[in-house]
């Protein structure tokens, strides 16, 4: 069995926190992209209906 020293444990914790923060940021970006796609979709439908 391998034991992880306190400094290694701290490094792993920092990496996990950074990944979680990164995923949260990506999630927010994807929400913005999703909203923008919906807006564009509505605009396209309006243009198609006009013609």
């Amino acid at each position: 069995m391998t034991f992880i020293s306190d400094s290694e444990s701290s490094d792993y914790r920092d990496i996990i926190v950074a990944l979680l923060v990164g995923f949260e940021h990506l999630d927010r970006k994807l929400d913005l992209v999703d909203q923008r796609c919906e807006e564009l979709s509505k605009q396209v439908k309006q243009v198609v209906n006009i013609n």
Side-chain angles (χ1 to χ4, degrees):
M1 185 170 187
T2 306
F3 291 99
I4 299 173
S5 70
D6 286 343
S7 64
E8 284 179 314
S9 176
S10 177
D11 290 345
Y12 287 126
R13 200 174 304 121
D14 291 346
I15 291 168
I16 291 169
V17 168
L19 285 172
L20 290 173
V21 169
F23 284 130
E24 180 68 28
H25 182 70
L26 276 176
D27 195 40
R28 282 195 220 118
K29 287 284 187 188
L30 288 173
D31 285 346
L32 290 174
V33 169
D34 195 37
Q35 289 174 1
R36 186 69 183 127
C37 286
E38 285 181 30
E39 292 170 11
L40 288 172
S41 176
K42 288 175 185 173
Q43 290 175 2
V44 167
K45 286 177 184 173
Q46 288 175 348
V47 169
V48 169
N49 286 339
I50 290 172
N51 294 331

